[in-house]
Amino acid sequence: MSFLTPALTAGALLIAAPIILHLVMRREPTPVVFPALRFVQARRSTNQTRMRLRHWLLLALRCLAVAMLALALARPVLRGSGLLGADSGRLAVAVVVDNSPRMGLKLGDETRLDRAQALGGWLLEQLPADSQVALVARGATRARPLAKRWGDRDSAAAKLMRMESSARDRPLASAVRDAVDLLEEREDDRRELYVFTDQSAAAWDAETLGEVNRQLDRLPGLKLQVVDVGARQSTNRGLGALSLSSATPVKGEALEIAAPVLESSAEGGAASGSVTVELWIDQDGTAVKRSQTLVNLESGDDAVLTVASLEEGVHQGYVTIAGADPLPADDRRYFTVRVEPPRPILLVGPNRASTLFVAEALAPFDAAAGEAAAYQPARTTTDELLSTRLADYQSVWLLDPPPLEAAAWRRLDDYARSGGSVLTALGGRAKSVAMNRPEPQAVLGARLEYTSRDVSYLSPARYNHPSIAPLAPLAEAIPWTAFPVFKYWAIEQREAGVSLVAPLANGDAAILARTVGRGKAVTLTTPLSDPASPDPWNTLPTGVDPWPFLALTRSLADYLSGVGEWRYNYQAGEPAVLPAPAGGGLLNYVLRLPGEEAIKVSQPSGAEIVVGLTDTPGNYRVEADGQRFDGGFSVNSAGSIGRLERIADGDLRTALGDDRVAIARQRKELARQVDLGRVGRELYPWLIVLVAIALGGEHLLSNRFYDQPG
């Protein structure tokens, strides 16, 4: 407790006045003559007891009235718990505003961000004129030093009014951390922390609550003032993140897009009804609807849309929900795909028959009857390798190769260093002495020791290497034990930089990978195309229902051909990276932002183009006429922006501590929290009431006391 005018507490000494008066003005008992003396004695004893009680009660009331009046004039207050710092310092206020797309939810003519700006503006008006304010937006990144983010209340109010929704998916805890960093440096000031939020469960998840707790631990005594601007009764229908069958489909391959359709309400509850979802493709600057489907929300199924007959090149479009709702930010999702020709692969074996299994796995014979094949394998022999133009192929596969000439290995090394990829599947025709020479080791990077007959099977411990990462969703279903490996090459040692992609069950190496210059090299210690025989090396392609062989072959082909190496779909705020055209000098290109705004950009030529202006959802186009380059990418908000489910007040207080968080929704509640936190609860009104009660009681008792004879 503290006092606004502590000097007036000395007035409590005036309680001496009624005590002195009590002692000086004692009444003498009135003599009474009775005929019987015993009745006089009894009356005298009763009279003295009653007078003594009345005197003490009257004295207590007078002392209480004087003491309460003195305390009331001294203006005592109960010290607030939300204010941190010295009483004599300036007020330093950090204000965090959640400006995520979800705050664009509209009720009537007002969005949640509009409400946050209105309440925040009112709050800033209540601050003392010399207050320092730091405004932290959830959708912004820390761009300036902390010291330069402080300003006066008027400039902070102006910035708040100009704030717009941001699609950047920065965790709310990160914005709170920035605010605590700002407050931490104001040690000599009185510090306050406010967070304007819609109190959605998606923003206040378990990870965020844990991080906010850790930040509050840094400044013990600081209370988090949560200003809830969310809507308790609201419903939204929107789309989650899109899932593409491929970001780089080949010409003739159907593109399938799955879009989760979400219905969310602040109060929770099951989804109902149906919505129409449409697929639009940009064609020559005009959006054309190519597909649509009706989705029953009760089923929980995704909207699945298919488009075919896309020509080679970059194609952009969007998936949208027909109609409108209070939150338009998640009604449309954008996408970019690059349609490519079938990827050429050169399969090299001791004879053409030895490459048949892999060729059919990459391009099935019945592909012409339906889907286009993603790969276009060409088959040749090791004798023709030196005369074959390797630059025409995205990767070269050596299947059970015999010892090759040094010139052939040098060609493969040069091909890889210039950006090509080489796969070597070793088998019975390999010789350790020949394979351990410098020329093949420049590609393999692993010295062969001997042929092992320790029967085992492929057993990837993890699927984190990109060459087998597509198999991760199937990991538990792949029956590797059904396809034993009877023979393999034991590795004596590996060069630095050679990774173990997958071992055998006995721990020996099965698949190795390394980087060679700008290219990649993969080595298998057992054949990938071993034909059925009485003495096979493995049964990967010849076992019963060898679908794992098909999946592994396609996964390795995608890795070696660079499928998925470049992304074309990003989340807002992520830098977009695109392959750049070859050539020297500066790369001059035009970046077309959503809305057709164009920006001219120049950067040194290299292997990639980096675009940092990705804050706005939509389709972006990169054009460079001089280099005949046409590229693009898409940007979307996070898939959770449409989730309106709220975290309960009790859960928020339980997670952060009831003594460390205060929640307000209206101006009155916010004003009360500000008074309690900044000034505390003033006790003057209550003390004046006590003074009035004491004076009233003293008046009634004294009248009864002095009006009656003793």
PDB file of all heavy atoms in Angstrom, residues 520-533:
ATOM      1  N   LYS A 520      25.329 -34.753 -58.543  1.00  0.00           N
ATOM      2  CA  LYS A 520      25.114 -35.731 -57.473  1.00  0.00           C
ATOM      3  C   LYS A 520      25.508 -37.119 -57.961  1.00  0.00           C
ATOM      4  O   LYS A 520      25.413 -37.412 -59.166  1.00  0.00           O
ATOM      5  CB  LYS A 520      23.639 -35.729 -57.054  1.00  0.00           C
ATOM      6  CG  LYS A 520      23.190 -34.433 -56.392  1.00  0.00           C
ATOM      7  CD  LYS A 520      21.686 -34.355 -56.255  1.00  0.00           C
ATOM      8  CE  LYS A 520      21.033 -34.032 -57.575  1.00  0.00           C
ATOM      9  NZ  LYS A 520      19.606 -33.667 -57.437  1.00  0.00           N
ATOM     10  N   ALA A 521      25.913 -37.947 -57.018  1.00  0.00           N
ATOM     11  CA  ALA A 521      26.262 -39.329 -57.335  1.00  0.00           C
ATOM     12  C   ALA A 521      25.680 -40.240 -56.269  1.00  0.00           C
ATOM     13  O   ALA A 521      25.762 -39.949 -55.069  1.00  0.00           O
ATOM     14  CB  ALA A 521      27.778 -39.504 -57.412  1.00  0.00           C
ATOM     15  N   VAL A 522      25.057 -41.330 -56.692  1.00  0.00           N
ATOM     16  CA  VAL A 522      24.471 -42.324 -55.795  1.00  0.00           C
ATOM     17  C   VAL A 522      25.084 -43.673 -56.132  1.00  0.00           C
ATOM     18  O   VAL A 522      25.224 -44.033 -57.313  1.00  0.00           O
ATOM     19  CB  VAL A 522      22.937 -42.385 -55.946  1.00  0.00           C
ATOM     20  CG1 VAL A 522      22.367 -43.569 -55.170  1.00  0.00           C
ATOM     21  CG2 VAL A 522      22.306 -41.092 -55.465  1.00  0.00           C
ATOM     22  N   THR A 523      25.468 -44.427 -55.111  1.00  0.00           N
ATOM     23  CA  THR A 523      26.056 -45.753 -55.299  1.00  0.00           C
ATOM     24  C   THR A 523      25.247 -46.785 -54.530  1.00  0.00           C
ATOM     25  O   THR A 523      24.972 -46.593 -53.339  1.00  0.00           O
ATOM     26  CB  THR A 523      27.517 -45.783 -54.816  1.00  0.00           C
ATOM     27  OG1 THR A 523      28.276 -44.811 -55.546  1.00  0.00           O
ATOM     28  CG2 THR A 523      28.128 -47.160 -55.013  1.00  0.00           C
ATOM     29  N   LEU A 524      24.854 -47.881 -55.218  1.00  0.00           N
ATOM     30  CA  LEU A 524      24.192 -49.013 -54.578  1.00  0.00           C
ATOM     31  C   LEU A 524      25.183 -50.169 -54.535  1.00  0.00           C
ATOM     32  O   LEU A 524      25.863 -50.450 -55.530  1.00  0.00           O
ATOM     33  CB  LEU A 524      22.946 -49.440 -55.349  1.00  0.00           C
ATOM     34  CG  LEU A 524      21.664 -48.614 -55.128  1.00  0.00           C
ATOM     35  CD1 LEU A 524      21.775 -47.237 -55.742  1.00  0.00           C
ATOM     36  CD2 LEU A 524      20.447 -49.349 -55.684  1.00  0.00           C
ATOM     37  N   THR A 525      25.257 -50.826 -53.404  1.00  0.00           N
ATOM     38  CA  THR A 525      26.220 -51.922 -53.252  1.00  0.00           C
ATOM     39  C   THR A 525      25.675 -53.249 -53.772  1.00  0.00           C
ATOM     40  O   THR A 525      26.370 -54.274 -53.709  1.00  0.00           O
ATOM     41  CB  THR A 525      26.626 -52.082 -51.780  1.00  0.00           C
ATOM     42  OG1 THR A 525      25.458 -52.395 -51.007  1.00  0.00           O
ATOM     43  CG2 THR A 525      27.266 -50.806 -51.255  1.00  0.00           C
ATOM     44  N   THR A 526      24.448 -53.260 -54.274  1.00  0.00           N
ATOM     45  CA  THR A 526      23.842 -54.452 -54.867  1.00  0.00           C
ATOM     46  C   THR A 526      23.072 -54.016 -56.107  1.00  0.00           C
ATOM     47  O   THR A 526      22.640 -52.858 -56.191  1.00  0.00           O
ATOM     48  CB  THR A 526      22.911 -55.150 -53.849  1.00  0.00           C
ATOM     49  OG1 THR A 526      22.557 -56.448 -54.326  1.00  0.00           O
ATOM     50  CG2 THR A 526      21.680 -54.329 -53.574  1.00  0.00           C
ATOM     51  N   PRO A 527      22.906 -54.876 -57.101  1.00  0.00           N
ATOM     52  CA  PRO A 527      22.285 -54.444 -58.355  1.00  0.00           C
ATOM     53  C   PRO A 527      20.843 -53.963 -58.175  1.00  0.00           C
ATOM     54  O   PRO A 527      20.132 -54.395 -57.267  1.00  0.00           O
ATOM     55  CB  PRO A 527      22.341 -55.700 -59.231  1.00  0.00           C
ATOM     56  CG  PRO A 527      23.406 -56.544 -58.638  1.00  0.00           C
ATOM     57  CD  PRO A 527      23.367 -56.269 -57.168  1.00  0.00           C
ATOM     58  N   LEU A 528      20.430 -53.061 -59.073  1.00  0.00           N
ATOM     59  CA  LEU A 528      19.054 -52.585 -59.093  1.00  0.00           C
ATOM     60  C   LEU A 528      18.249 -53.294 -60.181  1.00  0.00           C
ATOM     61  O   LEU A 528      17.043 -53.098 -60.292  1.00  0.00           O
ATOM     62  CB  LEU A 528      19.039 -51.062 -59.332  1.00  0.00           C
ATOM     63  CG  LEU A 528      17.751 -50.293 -59.033  1.00  0.00           C
ATOM     64  CD1 LEU A 528      17.308 -50.505 -57.593  1.00  0.00           C
ATOM     65  CD2 LEU A 528      17.921 -48.818 -59.328  1.00  0.00           C
ATOM     66  N   SER A 529      18.946 -54.112 -61.009  1.00  0.00           N
ATOM     67  CA  SER A 529      18.263 -54.767 -62.140  1.00  0.00           C
ATOM     68  C   SER A 529      18.706 -56.221 -62.282  1.00  0.00           C
ATOM     69  O   SER A 529      18.896 -56.715 -63.395  1.00  0.00           O
ATOM     70  CB  SER A 529      18.564 -54.003 -63.428  1.00  0.00           C
ATOM     71  OG  SER A 529      19.969 -53.917 -63.639  1.00  0.00           O
ATOM     72  N   ASP A 530      18.867 -56.896 -61.151  1.00  0.00           N
ATOM     73  CA  ASP A 530      19.363 -58.270 -61.187  1.00  0.00           C
ATOM     74  C   ASP A 530      18.274 -59.208 -61.713  1.00  0.00           C
ATOM     75  O   ASP A 530      17.183 -59.283 -61.133  1.00  0.00           O
ATOM     76  CB  ASP A 530      19.771 -58.695 -59.771  1.00  0.00           C
ATOM     77  CG  ASP A 530      20.634 -59.947 -59.790  1.00  0.00           C
ATOM     78  OD1 ASP A 530      21.445 -60.089 -60.724  1.00  0.00           O
ATOM     79  OD2 ASP A 530      20.492 -60.758 -58.872  1.00  0.00           O
ATOM     80  N   PRO A 531      18.520 -59.925 -62.803  1.00  0.00           N
ATOM     81  CA  PRO A 531      17.485 -60.817 -63.343  1.00  0.00           C
ATOM     82  C   PRO A 531      17.326 -62.058 -62.469  1.00  0.00           C
ATOM     83  O   PRO A 531      18.183 -62.395 -61.654  1.00  0.00           O
ATOM     84  CB  PRO A 531      18.030 -61.178 -64.724  1.00  0.00           C
ATOM     85  CG  PRO A 531      19.512 -61.069 -64.586  1.00  0.00           C
ATOM     86  CD  PRO A 531      19.751 -59.949 -63.623  1.00  0.00           C
ATOM     87  N   ALA A 532      16.194 -62.712 -62.647  1.00  0.00           N
ATOM     88  CA  ALA A 532      15.953 -63.961 -61.920  1.00  0.00           C
ATOM     89  C   ALA A 532      16.959 -65.014 -62.373  1.00  0.00           C
ATOM     90  O   ALA A 532      17.222 -65.183 -63.562  1.00  0.00           O
ATOM     91  CB  ALA A 532      14.534 -64.442 -62.171  1.00  0.00           C
ATOM     92  N   SER A 533      17.556 -65.717 -61.394  1.00  0.00           N
ATOM     93  CA  SER A 533      18.565 -66.737 -61.702  1.00  0.00           C
ATOM     94  C   SER A 533      18.701 -67.651 -60.492  1.00  0.00           C
ATOM     95  O   SER A 533      18.232 -67.336 -59.401  1.00  0.00           O
ATOM     96  CB  SER A 533      19.914 -66.074 -62.018  1.00  0.00           C
ATOM     97  OG  SER A 533      20.454 -65.481 -60.864  1.00  0.00           O
TER      98      SER A 533
END
